[in-house]
Amino acid sequence: MERLPKRQRHQQLSKLLEENPFLTDRELTRLLKVSIQTIRLDRLELAIPELRERLKLMAERSYDSVRSLPLHEVIGDILDLQLDKSGISLFEISEEHVFSRSGIARGHHVFAQANSLAVAVINDEIALTASADIRFIRPARLGEKCIAKAFVRSSGGQKGKAKVEVFTYVGDEMVFQGNFIIYRSAGE
Amino acid sequence: MERLPKRQRHQQLSKLLEENPFLTDRELTRLLKVSIQTIRLDRLELAIPELRERLKLMAERSYDSVRSLPLHEVIGDILDLQLDKSGISLFEISEEHVFSRSGIARGHHVFAQANSLAVAVINDEIALTASADIRFIRPARLGEKCIAKAFVRSSGGQKGKAKVEVFTYVGDEMVFQGNFIIYRSAGE
DNA sequence: CTCGTATTGGCACCAGGTATTAGAATGAGA
DNA sequence: TCTCATTCTAATACCTGGTGCCAATACGAG
């Protein structure tokens, strides 16, 4: 008995739907040259939900991630914040942050965490980075959890500039250090 | 004639669906206390597509954005690259890069472009940012196209460190300037 | 030839709609 | 008061993309 065709078809079907989850069963019949019932039995065996469920799942995922993705807003999760004094944030290095061959985080992600925190700790909503002097002390690697600690050194509420020092650690090793000068809307 | 209820309902309906696009017409009848036909007429007037279309649109959006987001690899498009000499990249400031209320780009995005370019121009694959001294000269705004130009000042092929200077312009105005020290795998 | 698996077909049913036509409620103006 | 327009509700037919179930067929192995 030629068992292969079925398994091959299952593989093909999985692959097709992975590439294009928008395919209906009817379209799949054309691509796999079997009846629509066969497609449905196959989906059943492979536990692949129907088109509408697939779309719903994707929509839910994107909806959730839009909500949890002010990734662009603040890089890292703020753990503690004392305005005009100090702040702590956590940022975990994942696949998309590293050079694929070395597993070392690209510098700008580590910088982004520190910069976000430096701006957040001032929290004047019109706080902008004016300049920074930074040092990458040792590379941060895939999977490592970076804890950034920011300290406002000279708030200079009137002067329109604040100096913020940020230290980033993995465990008790320092990986990054930076001095930021932040412009702020005077007052506050 | 009490015209308000209708417009109010339209507003409410828009708002409800904005908050939760997963609502069916039937669920909306419960929330708005009108018949399902009214809901459908309302959607028609407001040009709001049916549930399935909404889910499909969301799924498509998320599907596309996953595809077009190696944003994390190199920030900005490389326009020109002369290894160990110079490089140019283009980065357009869009919604997700700016503070929503001021339309000013967050510093780390501008930094990321410069940092990516500084590393790319060395292109030793084991090139890492060691330190940087940076200045944000004027804010970059939504829609602006940032052109970053990098110059390798001291390649020091043997020393394991290279100095790279980056200038970022919008038109002929400089918005950012940075001096990067890049570690490189000795030799080349 | 018979058994078992794989495949196909047909039918009823469902959710969540569209499209259309008809009727009821309401109020405003002549 | 009658009439008319707007708004709302109701009813029906139809569509897509399925599920669930049962029966019929194909086909190869023992």
Side-chain angles (χ1 to χ4, degrees):
Chain A
M1 190 178 290
E2 230 187 321
R3 269 243 177 69
L4 286 184
K6 188 176 181 181
R7 302 202 176 163
Q8 274 182 4
R9 197 182 57 234
H10 280 191
Q11 281 201 328
Q12 258 197 304
L13 187 134
S14 304
K15 195 176 150 196
L16 280 169
L17 285 181
E18 204 163 323
E19 285 171 8
N20 183 0
F22 298 86
L23 293 169
T24 64
D25 288 356
R26 201 167 305 277
E27 288 170 315
L28 288 166
T29 62
R30 275 210 349 258
L31 298 171
L32 296 180
K33 314 278 188 193
V34 290
S35 74
I36 202 163
Q37 288 83 352
T38 303
I39 298 290
R40 285 169 183 171
L41 284 173
D42 287 352
R43 272 200 302 102
L44 204 65
E45 285 187 63
L46 294 171
I48 296 173
E50 62 174 290
L51 171 65
R52 286 157 179 171
E53 287 306 309
R54 296 198 298 271
L55 296 187
K56 195 176 168 190
L57 283 173
M58 292 177 69
E60 276 168 355
R61 259 197 306 129
S62 87
Y63 193 62
D64 291 350
S65 74
V66 163
R67 309 224 115 175
S68 71
L69 248 181
L71 264 181
H72 295 289
E73 284 293 306
V74 174
I75 308 291
D77 304 324
I78 303 276
L79 302 182
D80 182 68
L81 199 63
Q82 302 194 307
L83 294 179
D84 278 327
K85 286 189 185 161
S86 65
I88 299 178
S89 82
L90 165 68
F91 176 56
E92 184 169 347
I93 309 292
S94 56
E95 298 276 356
E96 68 264 33
H97 307 122
V98 303
F99 291 96
S100 45
R101 73 185 67 188
S102 61
I104 289 175
R106 289 171 186 272
H108 50 263
H109 291 112
V110 175
F111 173 83
Q113 177 191 16
N115 182 62
S116 289
L117 184 61
V119 169
V121 80
I122 295 296
N123 192 35
D124 219 319
E125 285 309 329
I126 314 190
L128 297 173
T129 312
S131 65
D133 185 8
I134 61 181
R135 231 149 295 279
F136 294 88
I137 294 161
R138 79 128 164 101
R141 296 201 138 73
L142 181 58
E144 290 185 330
K145 293 185 168 101
C146 297
I147 305 286
K149 300 185 182 184
F151 304 95
V152 179
R153 290 309 185 197
S154 70
S155 162
Q158 286 70 15
K159 289 193 293 181
K161 283 190 186 182
K163 190 179 166 207
V164 181
E165 225 171 342
V166 180
F167 304 94
T168 304
Y169 300 87
V170 169
D172 52 1
E173 281 186 277
M174 191 183 292
V175 298
F176 172 93
Q177 183 265 319
N179 290 305
F180 293 81
I181 306 293
I182 309 288
Y183 269 121
R184 66 190 312 173
S185 61
E188 178 82 348
Chain B
M1 190 176 291
E2 230 185 320
R3 268 243 178 69
L4 288 184
K6 187 176 180 179
R7 302 202 176 165
Q8 273 181 3
R9 199 181 55 234
H10 279 192
Q11 281 202 327
Q12 257 196 304
L13 186 135
S14 304
K15 195 177 150 197
L16 281 168
L17 285 181
E18 204 163 324
E19 284 171 9
N20 183 359
F22 298 86
L23 292 169
T24 64
D25 289 357
R26 200 167 306 277
E27 289 170 316
L28 288 167
T29 61
R30 276 208 350 255
L31 297 171
L32 297 179
K33 315 276 187 195
V34 290
S35 75
I36 202 163
Q37 289 81 355
T38 303
I39 298 289
R40 287 171 179 169
L41 283 173
D42 287 353
R43 271 200 301 102
L44 203 66
E45 285 187 64
L46 295 171
I48 297 173
E50 63 174 288
L51 172 64
R52 288 157 177 172
E53 287 305 309
R54 296 197 298 272
L55 296 186
K56 195 175 167 189
L57 284 173
M58 292 177 69
E60 277 169 354
R61 258 196 307 127
S62 84
Y63 194 62
D64 290 352
S65 73
V66 164
R67 308 223 116 176
S68 71
L69 254 176
L71 268 178
H72 296 288
E73 280 297 307
V74 173
I75 309 293
D77 304 323
I78 304 274
L79 301 182
D80 183 67
L81 199 62
Q82 301 193 306
L83 293 179
D84 278 327
K85 286 189 185 161
S86 65
I88 300 177
S89 83
L90 166 69
F91 176 57
E92 184 168 348
I93 308 293
S94 56
E95 298 274 358
E96 67 265 33
H97 307 122
V98 303
F99 291 95
S100 46
R101 75 186 64 190
S102 61
I104 290 176
R106 289 173 184 271
H108 51 264
H109 290 112
V110 174
F111 173 83
Q113 178 192 15
N115 183 61
S116 288
L117 184 60
V119 169
V121 79
I122 295 295
N123 192 36
D124 220 319
E125 284 310 328
I126 314 191
L128 298 173
T129 312
S131 65
D133 185 10
I134 61 180
R135 232 148 294 279
F136 294 89
I137 294 160
R138 80 126 163 103
R141 297 202 137 73
L142 181 59
E144 290 185 330
K145 293 184 169 102
C146 297
I147 305 286
K149 299 184 181 182
F151 303 95
V152 180
R153 289 309 184 197
S154 70
S155 163
Q158 286 70 16
K159 287 193 295 182
K161 283 190 185 181
K163 190 178 166 205
V164 181
E165 226 172 343
V166 181
F167 303 93
T168 304
Y169 300 87
V170 169
D172 53 359
E173 281 187 278
M174 190 183 292
V175 297
F176 172 94
Q177 182 264 321
N179 291 304
F180 293 79
I181 306 293
I182 309 288
Y183 269 122
R184 63 191 314 173
S185 60
E188 168 87 355

